[in-house]
Amino acid sequence: MMKTSLVIAALLALAPTIASADITVKLPAGAPAELNVSHALIERMINARSEADLNVQSATVPVSSGTAIIAIDPAGPSRYSIDIADGVAADLYAAPGEDLTVDITSLQPLSYTVSGTPLMEGMTVLESKAGPIELEASQLMRSEQPDMQRLNELQQQYNGIMMDFVKANTDSPAAVFAMLNLSGEDMIEADTMLGENARASILYPIASAQLAAVRQAVEKQHRQEALASGKVDAPAFTLLNPDGKKVSLSDFRGKWVILDFWGSWCVWCIRGFPHLKETYEQLKPDLEVIGIDCGDTKEVWKEAVKRFELPWVNVYKPEADTLTEQYSVQGFPTKVIINPEGKIVNITTGEDPSFYERLHELMKR
């Protein structure tokens, strides 16, 4: 990525009386002598299929007397990222003609507010409420064995903050930002609340583009719930194990079965193995686990089965196989519980401790 110098911004920094600033960044003592700033047009963010399509522009902006001035791209509304230190950046959205102020009150940890537009002022309010939750969640996710129950609680708190903001500020452009931080039916519900002014937000084109995919995901979720009603026969399959022998789901009729859709590339799949191993040892021989690898080459899959010492039945799903669609798999890992009669009684996406509670409840063990 080529770095250029924002000559106009530099001139503004040296002679602020000539013209008003577009984005004024106020920094505390100890700030760097220059800031690295990157931005991408929102239009490109919506349509990009690769990093190259984003056409991210980078520049170096000087800091003078604790102030840096960034010129807003006249080509259209953009997302800006201002590097403050290694791995620490202030992010904001701005459109041509706007006049924003970024007031950085602390460098480590980074703390800042943005004023000048209803969008950024509303986002600042949301960040003050959601920031501590995001920080705790981030710290938990970096641990070897994250507390999934606590992560779920934090997710619920985060969703509540975003939805409450939408309900209380239906016509605010920042309500769109809150909506973008929701998912599934919550996002669809939030969209129905937005007023005309909110829909005019520079962020709404991003939300609009995402809504179609979200609606499809919700439809899949409903199908998944119908599959797990206890009334549907588990779709049959025959796949190969590491020795090249055929394994069929029907081989295990009369047992409880967990189908574990996973891949060696999936961090949460790997993190879930210890709990699954513990449960398997506790409940076999009444329970069998069938690990169904997705998205790996055969060589990588076989190596991963050995490396992670997976003690259950392991099979490989070729890319062209439609088994994930048949089971309405929406993410990884996905675990499916099948009862001894061959009916699906639970489908859980993600590493969720409630899955094991449900399993013990179903097996009455």
Side-chain angles (χ1 to χ4, degrees):
M1 191 182 298
M2 182 176 293
K3 263 193 176 177
T4 61
S5 178
L6 280 182
V7 177
I8 294 177
L11 289 173
L12 287 172
L14 294 173
T17 58
I18 297 175
S20 61
D22 288 318
I23 302 175
T24 299
V25 184
K26 297 181 179 180
L27 298 115
E34 58 184 24
L35 299 177
N36 293 324
V37 180
S38 61
H39 80 277
L41 292 169
I42 288 177
E43 181 180 5
R44 284 187 172 273
M45 292 171 61
I46 296 169
N47 299 314
R49 294 294 178 267
S50 67
E51 186 174 350
D53 291 340
L54 284 172
N55 191 31
V56 177
Q57 301 294 307
S58 296
T60 300
V61 180
V63 176
S64 178
S65 300
T67 300
I69 298 173
I70 303 167
I72 291 176
D73 191 337
S78 301
R79 181 182 185 273
Y80 292 81
S81 184
I82 306 169
D83 290 339
I84 307 301
D86 291 339
V88 180
D91 299 317
L92 62 146
Y93 296 88
E98 293 181 341
D99 189 1
L100 301 178
T101 298
V102 182
D103 190 359
I104 299 176
T105 55
S106 172
L107 297 174
Q108 290 289 351
L110 179 63
S111 179
Y112 66 94
T113 59
V114 185
S115 59
T117 64
L119 170 61
M120 290 311 309
E121 289 168 4
M123 285 176 58
T124 295
V125 171
L126 283 167
E127 176 60 26
S128 68
K129 295 180 179 179
I133 295 174
E134 292 178 295
L135 179 60
E136 183 180 349
S138 177
Q139 292 170 340
L140 282 173
M141 291 177 68
R142 286 196 295 269
S143 64
E144 284 292 327
Q145 291 296 321
D147 183 340
M148 297 304 302
Q149 182 173 346
R150 180 56 181 162
L151 278 172
N152 288 336
E153 291 173 356
L154 291 172
Q155 185 65 61
Q156 292 301 315
Q157 292 176 27
Y158 185 86
N159 291 348
I161 288 170
M162 297 301 164
M163 183 61 83
D164 288 347
F165 186 91
V166 174
K167 291 177 179 178
N169 304 273
T170 56
D171 213 31
S172 166
V176 181
F177 176 78
M179 182 181 79
L180 282 166
N181 284 279
L182 295 169
S183 60
E185 293 183 346
D186 287 342
M187 185 179 185
I188 294 172
E189 180 184 357
D191 181 59
T192 66
M193 302 179 192
L194 297 182
E196 183 177 347
N197 193 49
R199 293 178 188 277
S201 168
I202 61 176
L203 294 185
Y204 193 73
I206 299 177
S208 181
Q210 289 187 11
L211 277 167
V214 170
R215 290 190 176 98
Q216 288 182 353
V218 168
E219 289 177 7
K220 287 183 179 180
Q221 177 64 31
H222 290 164
R223 180 173 180 271
Q224 189 180 89
E225 291 169 357
L227 279 174
S229 65
K231 302 176 182 178
V232 179
D233 289 331
F237 61 84
T238 298
L239 297 171
L240 300 181
N241 71 8
D243 296 325
K245 296 180 180 179
K246 292 182 178 180
V247 175
S248 299
L249 177 62
S250 58
D251 297 339
F252 305 95
R253 180 62 66 90
K255 286 189 174 186
W256 289 90
V257 175
I258 294 175
L259 303 183
D260 182 30
F261 290 89
W262 72 287
S264 68
W265 44 267
C266 168
V267 173
W268 287 104
C269 299
I270 307 308
R271 288 182 174 180
F273 284 157
H275 199 170
L276 186 57
K277 286 180 180 180
E278 179 184 335
T279 301
Y280 179 57
E281 288 299 320
Q282 180 182 0
L283 298 178
K284 69 178 185 180
D286 297 325
L287 171 72
E288 187 54 75
V289 176
I290 304 176
I292 303 175
D293 182 274
C294 305
D296 285 318
T297 65
K298 287 184 179 180
E299 292 73 20
V300 170
W301 160 60
K302 290 179 181 179
E303 191 279 330
V305 169
K306 292 180 180 178
R307 174 158 44 101
F308 297 115
E309 300 179 336
L310 305 184
W312 43 73
V313 176
N314 288 282
V315 295
Y316 179 77
K317 186 194 82 65
E319 185 176 352
D321 190 285
T322 62
L323 194 61
T324 50
E325 286 76 18
Q326 294 177 56
Y327 278 90
S328 194
V329 173
Q330 299 183 62
F332 294 87
T334 287
K335 291 182 176 65
V336 179
I337 302 175
I338 301 171
N339 69 16
E341 290 72 45
K343 306 289 186 182
I344 301 174
V345 291
N346 181 271
I347 301 177
T348 298
T349 302
E351 191 56 32
D352 188 339
S354 67
F355 169 81
Y356 295 97
E357 296 172 6
R358 180 61 176 152
L359 175 67
H360 285 284
E361 177 184 320
L362 287 165
M363 294 184 65
K364 302 186 187 310
R365 288 185 58 183

